[in-house]
Amino acid sequence: VHGRIPPAGKDSIVGRIYRAGGGAKGQCASRTLSELKTTIPLVDKVFNLEASRGGADAEAIANVATSGPLRIKSRDRAVTVEDYEWLAREAAGEVAKSRCLALTRADSLTGENRQGTDPGWITVIIVPYGEEDQPLPTENLLNTVKDFLTARSLATLSNRIDVIGPRYVAIDVAAEVIPLRIEEAKAVEKRVFDKLRAFLHPLSGGPDGEGWEFGRAMYLSEVGAVVQGTVGVDRVRNLSIRKSGSDQSQESIAMGSNDLAASGHHTIVATGA
């Protein structure tokens, strides 16, 4: 239909782009691809070391009310901070969250989250979809977003755009709970642990289930509400939160403006009254 018929023979056709359907559900976990389609001498078995990435579900109809005006506003050009954040998500369906830092180089984001001191530079932080506690973008995704943004930016910014992954602040929770039924202690411990992991997930956690915003502080009271609201918990006797790696418990954990909360290591103990 388009062009000449490729000549017969081995390696006469090269696929430049490969896409497969299925969305996020079509992605394979590590060590799940283990079937050899053809035998290979001296090869006994095969498996994939890494999980597949890149699958994204179609945009929900409910999101069009938000994405539509942003598409019209940006006109496929990156000018404002909002344009960069929007186009970063347009660059690849697997980008779930983005944050643009004007006048900032990635190398300057250390210690106190220094920002706004590098004229002519743009840094974009991206978070990919993922069920792991701290989803991180692959090198390929970072390059894809960077190339996409560079092609839509001013010529003066062609070599001054950094695209990086997020910096997570893991939150450790320690809780002693009293179950309604002592014989269900182990089950209650697991429920509390799972609820905390879900609540602290950067993309699907938070009070409203929409994830955490960059720089959003974490409060002991809201973590306590999650533990107390777990099925099978009668009451909470002791509860503390801290940054992973710290020995100091806090009533609230402040975040840097470019930090993102995530689930850390939790110690849950269910005891009798």
Side-chain angles (χ1 to χ4, degrees), residues 54-89:
D57 296 328
E59 183 178 19
I61 297 298
N63 293 342
V64 175
T66 301
S67 63
L70 288 172
R71 286 192 178 95
I72 295 173
K73 175 184 177 296
S74 69
R75 300 296 179 93
D76 207 34
R77 298 296 299 171
V79 179
T80 68
V81 166
E82 186 181 45
D83 293 337
Y84 277 95
E85 292 178 346
W86 162 247
L87 289 172
R89 297 195 295 274

Side-chain angles (χ1 to χ4, degrees), residues 72-265:
I72 295 173
K73 175 184 177 296
S74 69
R75 300 296 179 93
D76 207 34
R77 298 296 299 171
V79 179
T80 68
V81 166
E82 186 181 45
D83 293 337
Y84 277 95
E85 292 178 346
W86 162 247
L87 289 172
R89 297 195 295 274
E90 282 281 275
E94 57 193 297
V95 177
K97 189 186 294 287
S98 60
R99 176 173 173 79
C100 177
L101 310 176
L103 309 177
T104 305
R105 295 184 64 171
D107 292 343
S108 71
L109 296 177
T110 58
E112 299 299 322
N113 281 314
R114 187 166 65 88
Q115 178 181 342
T117 58
D118 296 291
W121 280 87
I122 293 288
T123 292
V124 178
I125 304 172
I126 61 172
V127 185
Y129 286 102
E131 295 183 358
E132 56 268 46
D133 291 335
Q134 300 182 14
L136 292 170
T138 62
E139 194 67 28
N140 182 62
L141 179 58
L142 294 173
N143 292 333
T144 296
V145 174
K146 182 175 181 178
D147 291 344
F148 188 88
L149 294 176
T150 299
R152 289 156 179 78
S153 301
L154 297 174
T156 54
L157 290 174
S158 59
N159 295 315
R160 290 173 171 264
I161 299 175
D162 286 334
V163 180
I164 60 175
R167 187 172 79 171
Y168 288 108
V169 175
I171 308 298
D172 295 349
V173 179
E176 182 183 357
V177 300
I178 299 175
L180 291 171
R181 296 164 57 90
I182 190 60
E183 58 268 27
E184 294 184 353
K186 290 300 180 183
V188 169
E189 289 177 359
K190 185 178 186 308
R191 286 191 210 120
V192 172
F193 183 87
D194 291 343
K195 287 264 289 188
L196 287 171
R197 280 193 65 199
F199 179 73
L200 293 170
H201 194 276
L203 300 176
S204 57
D208 56 3
E210 298 294 327
W212 298 95
E213 295 297 326
F214 286 96
R216 163 68 152 83
M218 184 69 59
Y219 297 97
L220 180 66
S221 58
E222 57 192 2
V223 174
V226 172
V227 177
Q228 183 64 64
T230 302
V231 174
V233 172
D234 181 24
R235 61 186 185 275
V236 182
R237 178 178 287 164
N238 293 302
L239 178 69
S240 64
I241 61 173
R242 60 177 62 88
K243 289 184 180 181
S244 288
S246 171
D247 295 330
Q248 183 177 2
S249 300
Q250 299 173 266
E251 289 291 321
S252 64
I253 297 177
M255 301 281 175
S257 60
N258 305 317
D259 290 342
L260 199 58
S263 180
H265 301 286

Side-chain angles (χ1 to χ4, degrees), residues 13-84:
I13 300 176
V14 177
R16 297 296 183 186
I17 299 175
Y18 176 79
R19 293 180 178 176
K25 292 182 179 179
Q27 298 181 154
C28 299
S30 62
R31 297 181 178 269
T32 56
L33 300 177
S34 58
E35 181 181 351
L36 274 169
K37 294 299 183 182
T38 58
T39 58
I40 301 175
L42 304 180
V43 175
D44 177 43
K45 57 184 177 181
V46 296
F47 53 85
N48 57 312
L49 290 174
E50 297 183 359
S52 60
R53 296 175 178 269
D57 296 328
E59 183 178 19
I61 297 298
N63 293 342
V64 175
T66 301
S67 63
L70 288 172
R71 286 192 178 95
I72 295 173
K73 175 184 177 296
S74 69
R75 300 296 179 93
D76 207 34
R77 298 296 299 171
V79 179
T80 68
V81 166
E82 186 181 45
D83 293 337
Y84 277 95

